[in-house]
């Protein structure tokens, strides 16, 4: 996949591509990328890329011309162009899977109060929100979207890791432990040292059910749980003296 990021702050974006798992994906040739400073497409000595909003109001708005010249330079029309914004469609694992199937993505990082609507209308195919809160920069939001999608591309991480984690299933993840066996007077749960695969699987399922029930009960309401998972959940609810019934889940 080729990822192009248009930004006024390349120094916020580049480290993501030169570190950790993304660095390896780039080295393997799974991901190629360009980080483009669209101020380079602005005119005048000051290379101005933003201006005050028509109609008044606080802050600055990114001007259409420098940004559209940068978009034209990468042939953005006809490509999938993502603009992260709190007023976009909410990013979910399903949405990330859909984006991960593209061969090329272009990201526009907004800053200040936003970008001129005419650029959105002309180029943007996907306005994406990463959650119901407001960030000060589109760069961090773009990185979140890219992180969620690129790891789903074959060869980036092991398919085993993908299979086990939250949101590919409706249940959240079980807790993990590693050496040492004792840390600050706390031991690793016995069952994990037992080598008994069925007991370990059962213990992990129980922890996932508990975690989901406490942190995200909303996920259980539409979770497609198996009969065994439902039985375990009822058992856990019973233990916690919660008088829920299956029909309420
Ligand atoms: N830019 C600022 N806040 C954002 C959010 N919540 N989602 C996507 N882009 C943003």
């Amino acid at each position: 996949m080729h990822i192009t990021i248009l930004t006024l702050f390349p120094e916020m974006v580049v480290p993501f591509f030169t570190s950790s798992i993304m660095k390896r994906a780039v080295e393997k040739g799974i991901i190629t990328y360009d980080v483009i400073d669209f101020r380079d497409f602005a005119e005048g000595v000051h290379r101005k890329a933003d201006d005050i909003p028509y109609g008044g109001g606080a802050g600055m708005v990114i001007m259409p011309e420098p940004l559209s010249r940068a978009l034209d330079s990468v042939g953005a029309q006809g490509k999938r162009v993502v603009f992260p914004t709190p007023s976009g469609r909410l990013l979910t694992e399903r949405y990330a899977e859909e984006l991960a199937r593209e061969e090329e993505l272009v990201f526009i990082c907004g800053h200040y109060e936003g970008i001129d609507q005419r650029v959105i209308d002309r180029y943007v195919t996907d306005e994406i929100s990463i959650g119901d809160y407001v960030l000060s920069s589109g760069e961090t939001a773009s990185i979140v979207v890219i992180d969620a999608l690129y790891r789903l591309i074959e060869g980036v991480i092991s398919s085993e890791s993908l299979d086990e984690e939250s949101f590919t299933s409706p249940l959240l993840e079980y807790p993990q432990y590693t050496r040492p066996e004792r840390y600050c007077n706390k031991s690793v749960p016995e069952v994990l040292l037992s080598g008994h695969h069925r007991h370990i699987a059962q213990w992990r399922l129980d922890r996932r059910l508990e975690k989901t029930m406490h942190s995200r009960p909303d996920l259980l309401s539409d979770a497609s749980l198996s009969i065994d998972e439902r039985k375990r959940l009822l058992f856990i609810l019973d233990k916690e003296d919660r008088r829920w019934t299956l029909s309420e889940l």
Side-chain angles (χ1 to χ4, degrees):
M1 173 186 279
H2 186 73
I3 301 174
T4 302
I5 298 154
L6 305 180
T7 171
L8 290 174
F9 300 92
E11 67 278 13
M12 286 181 74
V13 179
V14 170
F16 179 69
F17 286 89
T18 55
S19 316
S20 186
I21 298 169
M22 179 56 105
K23 180 181 176 189
R24 261 189 284 140
V26 170
E27 284 167 355
K28 285 191 210 163
I30 302 171
I31 300 287
T32 52
Y33 71 98
D34 284 309
V35 178
I36 294 172
D37 184 347
F38 61 85
R39 194 180 299 283
D40 291 343
F41 294 82
E43 286 174 337
V45 264
H46 298 298
R47 298 196 304 148
K48 194 173 158 59
D50 57 345
D51 212 327
I52 53 170
Y54 276 120
M60 302 293 271
V61 176
I62 289 173
M63 297 158 76
E65 290 102 331
L67 186 52
S68 68
R69 279 196 284 268
L71 283 158
D72 290 340
S73 79
V74 299
Q77 265 173 337
K79 292 182 180 165
R80 198 129 183 204
V81 178
V82 176
F83 173 51
T85 163
S87 49
R89 173 180 158 197
L90 190 65
L91 181 67
T92 61
E93 192 69 15
R94 295 290 152 274
Y95 197 0
E97 281 166 5
E98 182 194 322
L99 294 168
R101 286 193 284 272
E102 296 290 330
E103 299 226 317
E104 184 165 359
L105 293 171
V106 178
F107 284 79
I108 301 172
C109 302
H111 227 90
Y112 317 118
E113 282 307 302
I115 67 177
D116 190 287
Q117 183 63 37
R118 291 165 292 183
V119 176
I120 299 174
D121 296 342
R122 186 161 168 221
Y123 296 92
V124 173
T125 58
D126 295 73
E127 290 183 71
I128 302 181
S129 166
I130 62 160
D132 291 338
Y133 43 81
V134 180
L135 304 173
S136 59
S137 74
E139 283 75 11
T140 40
S142 289
I143 290 169
V144 169
V145 179
I146 295 166
D147 198 353
L149 70 91
Y150 92 98
R151 59 194 296 288
L152 303 173
I153 299 171
E154 205 183 315
V156 174
I157 57 174
S158 78
S159 48
E160 217 181 10
S161 317
L162 284 180
D163 285 349
E164 281 189 3
E165 68 195 24
S166 309
F167 296 113
T168 41
S169 139
L171 298 177
L172 303 182
E173 280 189 67
Y174 51 80
Q176 298 276 17
Y177 298 85
T178 187
R179 274 185 277 267
E181 225 177 278
R182 272 188 85 70
Y183 158 75
C184 287
N185 253 350
K186 292 268 182 199
S187 295
V188 171
E190 234 4 267
V191 63
L192 299 179
L193 310 173
S194 70
H196 196 302
H197 297 300
R198 197 169 53 80
H199 288 177
I200 292 172
Q202 187 68 75
W203 181 88
R204 284 180 167 166
L205 173 62
D206 286 358
R207 298 296 81 72
R208 294 181 75 196
L209 288 162
E210 261 171 21
K211 178 82 182 143
T212 312
M213 194 175 77
H214 288 293
S215 301
R216 293 289 306 275
D218 57 303
L219 292 176
L220 287 174
S221 63
D222 50 29
S224 41
L225 300 181
S226 67
I227 291 175
D228 184 45
E229 287 167 347
R230 281 177 168 249
K231 273 196 200 142
R232 293 304 301 177
L233 184 57
L234 279 181
F235 178 71
I236 293 166
L237 288 169
D238 209 38
K239 243 183 17 193
E240 299 204 1
D241 203 20
R242 305 265 294 259
R243 274 162 300 226
W244 290 4
T245 65
L246 266 185
S247 62
E248 284 173 86
L249 296 172

